[in-house]
Amino acid sequence: MPTPTKGPRLGGSPAHEKLILANLARELFKHGRIQTTETKAKRVRPLAERLITKAKRNDLAARREVRKTINEKDVFIALFEEIGPRFANRDGGYTRIVKTGPRKGDAAPMAIIELVEELVVEQPKKAAKAAAKKAAQKDKVAVLSGEADETTDAADEAKA
Amino acid sequence: MPVPKRKMSRSNTRHRRAQWKVSAVHTVPCPQCKSAKLPHAACGVCGTYKGRQILAV
């Protein structure tokens, strides 16, 4: 069972909080990054990530679940067509929150929440690194065995 | 209803009020541009955080 969120609801009532979070999530998917207060950013993150996970699953049940929250058709389609596949090889952690200091006017601590860019480059890099390491290891082994052969050859030559 | 027995002296009032002070905001130097910034937050001058450009300058 999920732990209930501490403190009062955002906006005063549970219904208003639900609306605020749904609207924030929708705008996040629409624009890729949004600036909001730290508290709201922290509260919208789990919702947004759960929606992306559902977008990755991409079956009828998932679509209907997401449609309950995302009420704009264009954003809904973009979420399933673009954002979901973009995070295909990332298990969670689809968003990043960066604090940006107090807001002028009421000094509310602000933050930027954004979708993490897909790191296509990183995975092949890792594989390449591993391959390079393996190759280096093989070379080492070859050199070692080659050296051993050479020493025995040298010994044979010395005998002859 | 309980009420104060004596008038509070100006000295006591001023002593109480003198304890309410402001403290300086804690800052750290930005690793990118060396200007003072809030810890764990993007730099307001160069707009970077952990080597990543966050804010447009």
Side-chain angles (χ1 to χ4, degrees):
Chain A
M1 194 179 147
T3 323
T5 319
K6 280 186 183 175
R9 306 283 92 81
L10 298 173
S13 67
H16 194 184
E17 172 172 287
K18 229 175 125 186
L19 260 177
I20 288 176
L21 294 179
N23 288 344
L24 280 172
R26 189 194 63 220
E27 294 303 307
L28 175 64
F29 295 139
K30 199 191 236 174
H31 300 288
R33 72 184 321 209
I34 52 173
Q35 178 157 38
T36 177
T37 62
E38 246 181 70
T39 318
K40 282 180 194 162
K42 280 182 183 172
R43 293 284 286 279
V44 77
R45 181 180 5 209
L47 176 69
E49 301 214 346
R50 230 167 283 159
L51 290 177
I52 293 177
T53 307
K54 280 181 187 134
K56 280 167 78 174
R57 211 165 64 209
N58 199 6
D59 52 17
L60 185 62
R63 293 185 90 91
R64 284 181 176 164
E65 278 296 318
V66 172
R67 202 74 174 89
K68 281 193 214 167
T69 312
I70 303 295
N71 52 11
E72 225 171 272
K73 203 173 180 185
D74 297 345
V75 180
F76 173 75
I77 291 169
L79 177 62
F80 277 83
E81 303 288 311
E82 290 159 32
I83 297 171
R86 213 170 90 188
F87 291 123
N89 47 13
R90 182 185 278 273
D91 298 328
Y94 312 117
T95 59
R96 177 189 300 128
I97 294 177
V98 180
K99 292 167 195 169
T100 55
R103 167 166 68 190
K104 201 171 181 176
D106 65 353
M110 300 298 281
I112 285 178
I113 179 165
E114 60 189 358
L115 296 177
V116 176
E117 293 307 314
E118 206 231 344
L119 301 170
V120 183
V121 197
E122 196 143 293
Q123 288 224 329
K125 228 186 195 174
K126 256 187 186 170
K129 239 184 191 176
K133 246 187 188 172
K134 246 184 194 173
Q137 195 66 29
K138 258 185 190 170
D139 284 352
K140 252 189 200 168
V141 170
V143 165
L144 278 177
S145 54
E147 269 181 5
D149 289 349
E150 276 165 28
T151 47
T152 47
D153 288 349
D156 288 346
E157 276 169 29
K159 266 182 194 170
Chain B
M1 206 178 95
V3 288
K5 190 165 192 159
R6 296 224 172 267
K7 175 178 179 175
M8 200 174 199
S9 68
R10 275 182 289 181
S11 164
N12 265 341
T13 302
R14 285 167 184 173
H15 268 112
R16 186 186 67 244
R17 288 183 187 162
Q19 304 312 314
W20 187 31
K21 302 161 192 159
V22 291
S23 55
V25 176
H26 183 65
T27 57
V28 292
C30 169
Q32 208 77 22
C33 65
K34 309 293 178 225
S35 56
K37 74 171 192 71
L38 291 173
H40 309 291
C43 174
V45 178
C46 63
T48 57
Y49 184 62
K50 291 199 169 167
R52 190 179 275 115
Q53 193 70 34
I54 300 295
L55 304 164
V57 183

